[in-house]
Amino acid sequence: MQDEDYSAANQGSREDDQTIGILDEMPGLHLMSRCDLEAAVGGMSVDGDWEDAGATSREDAERKRALARFLDDPDLTWRRHVIADDALVARLARLAGEAPNMARAVEVVRRAAVVSRHARRPLRVPPIVLVGPPGCGKTRYASLLSKALGVTSTTVVGSTITDMGKIIGYHPSWKGAGPGLVAKSLLACPTTSPIVIFDEAEKIQAIDSLPSPLDTLLTALEPDTACSYQDGYYELPMYAAGIVWIFCVNDLHGLSAPLLDRCVVVEVAALSGAERHRTLDDLAADILLDHSVVPAGLDEDALAVLDGVGLRRARTLIVSALAGALEAGRDTLTAEDLRAAAALLGGGAPRLRQQAGFVHF
């Protein structure tokens, strides 16, 4: 790989020219440019003493060592692009059948894949906000999408985000500083298109007069500025334009107008009837396969036990029921296994209080 190709990550419109054609068999790029790394490292070696490399603190020295590792081993920052082919488009078409209430969200991604396949350019999916009641399969859709695209996914629960640093990284001047969610997701994925899922994103609230932590993502959601996204810890541009963003919310309250303006908002209906039973059966099959058990399908009695239970809780019940079945010497789930799991874990969802004006009872 030549130096001029190595610096493609921060070249904006030059990206496709440098990565498509030059590396036709494995198109991709480096998340960080060599010249930026050299400037940031400042003479620090992987094992160097922090005082000898102009580091301002031990945290800054650790940052420089991390960047020195990236500089010494270019493979650490090389990521291949996801470029759609017939097989990927077909997988997305099948996904619409597996998650029928997500058909519109699937179609948004499928059309992006059709464009990618035609132009042989990297996949670019607009950020998606999924709005729907709890238990309608929003996070499951994101997981299925990850499998269809063949990429890794990171799920963040909104209530765990208390400050902007978790998203954009903590400056090296902070004790215990480290990279943020965006940088971590990119470095953990072998492609430029990891899926980042914000579950219950509406619960990420601003503290006092500070902006919402989610609004720190605005530059990462814009294709032009995402090409040179800057993490607060590494303090140099990173290529983040390929990330697939999924925001799962019960309502749009708490999401700012600038963020929504950058996203496709998709309303998701609750699952019911045959669609819900099929989704529960597929969920059980996925769980059993993940635990090296060949799925046999849930019968009507077993499905009835899970009626009225959200998919998140259904997952917990199925895993617990599987443990009971395995201990009984069986590799199939029965309604009795699920009832025993529900009894152990406390049954269904807790009863919600009724609300009348400002009075709860």
Side-chain angles (χ1 to χ4, degrees):
M1 185 70 177
Q2 300 299 314
D3 285 355
E4 61 267 28
D5 302 328
Y6 186 89
S7 63
N10 302 320
Q11 299 306 313
S13 62
R14 290 177 57 198
E15 169 219 342
D16 290 338
D17 293 336
Q18 293 191 341
T19 59
I20 309 299
I22 293 177
L23 295 170
D24 194 53
E25 293 183 359
M26 185 66 72
L29 49 68
H30 287 270
L31 298 176
M32 307 172 188
S33 78
R34 185 176 186 84
C35 61
D36 286 337
L37 284 170
E38 288 176 341
V41 168
M44 170 68 83
S45 65
V46 173
D47 301 316
D49 187 284
W50 70 278
E51 293 177 335
D52 296 333
T56 57
S57 65
R58 295 188 183 280
E59 285 75 18
D60 189 36
E62 188 56 39
R63 162 186 167 267
K64 287 178 177 287
R65 291 190 190 99
L67 296 177
R69 285 190 287 272
F70 296 153
L71 188 61
D72 290 348
D73 186 355
D75 287 343
L76 292 176
T77 59
W78 172 258
R79 297 295 180 271
R80 66 177 176 84
H81 287 309
V82 175
I83 297 180
D85 56 15
D86 291 344
L88 189 150
V89 174
R91 289 197 299 272
L92 290 171
R94 288 195 296 273
L95 178 55
E98 296 173 12
N101 64 330
M102 298 288 175
R104 184 174 166 226
V106 174
E107 182 64 7
V108 171
V109 182
R110 193 192 70 81
R111 292 193 176 200
V114 169
V115 172
S116 169
R117 178 184 61 182
H118 174 78
R120 297 192 66 249
R121 299 294 186 186
L123 180 69
R124 295 291 177 265
V125 178
I128 298 174
V129 175
L130 300 176
V131 190
C136 67
K138 298 186 294 291
T139 53
R140 175 168 167 75
Y141 159 77
S143 175
L144 292 172
L145 180 61
S146 172
K147 293 179 181 179
L149 297 180
V151 302
T152 61
S153 65
T154 299
T155 300
V156 182
V157 179
S159 58
T160 66
I161 300 295
T162 55
D163 60 71
M164 296 181 289
K166 290 188 177 182
I167 297 176
I168 64 173
Y170 294 95
H171 190 272
S173 61
W174 288 50
K175 189 171 182 60
L181 169 70
V182 180
K184 287 180 178 179
S185 299
L186 287 167
L187 291 168
C189 184
T191 76
T192 57
S193 296
I195 297 179
V196 179
I197 307 158
F198 280 89
D199 193 17
E200 299 180 333
E202 76 276 17
K203 294 185 179 180
I204 303 176
Q205 299 296 326
I207 299 175
D208 298 327
S209 59
L210 296 174
S212 168
L214 272 184
D215 284 350
T216 62
L217 288 174
L218 296 181
T219 57
L221 301 181
E222 284 281 3
D224 292 339
T225 52
C227 288
S228 55
Y229 173 83
Q230 186 153 317
D231 176 77
Y233 176 71
Y234 290 128
E235 293 190 302
L236 50 78
M238 299 183 68
Y239 182 83
I243 296 177
V244 179
W245 299 97
I246 306 288
F247 300 92
C248 301
V249 300
N250 296 330
D251 58 64
L252 296 178
H253 178 72
L255 301 188
S256 70
L259 186 141
L260 290 173
D261 186 54
R262 289 162 171 80
C263 300
V264 176
V265 179
V266 178
E267 294 187 11
V268 182
L271 289 166
S272 61
E275 288 183 357
R276 175 176 170 79
H277 283 181
R278 177 177 175 178
T279 299
L280 287 169
D281 201 36
D282 289 343
L283 175 63
D286 289 344
I287 293 171
L288 267 60
L289 286 172
D290 286 344
H291 291 82
S292 302
V293 176
V294 178
L298 298 178
D299 62 25
E300 289 299 320
D301 289 341
L303 289 169
V305 176
L306 297 174
D307 274 344
V309 177
L311 294 184
R312 186 177 288 107
R313 182 165 183 80
R315 175 180 291 277
T316 304
L317 291 176
I318 291 169
V319 172
S320 180
L322 175 61
L326 293 174
E327 287 192 327
R330 292 179 285 101
D331 58 3
T332 56
L333 293 181
T334 66
E336 191 54 42
D337 295 325
L338 290 165
R339 290 192 190 96
L344 174 67
L345 300 175
R351 178 179 178 268
L352 297 177
R353 293 180 297 174
Q354 300 293 322
Q355 180 174 348
F358 295 102
V359 179
H360 295 82
F361 60 93

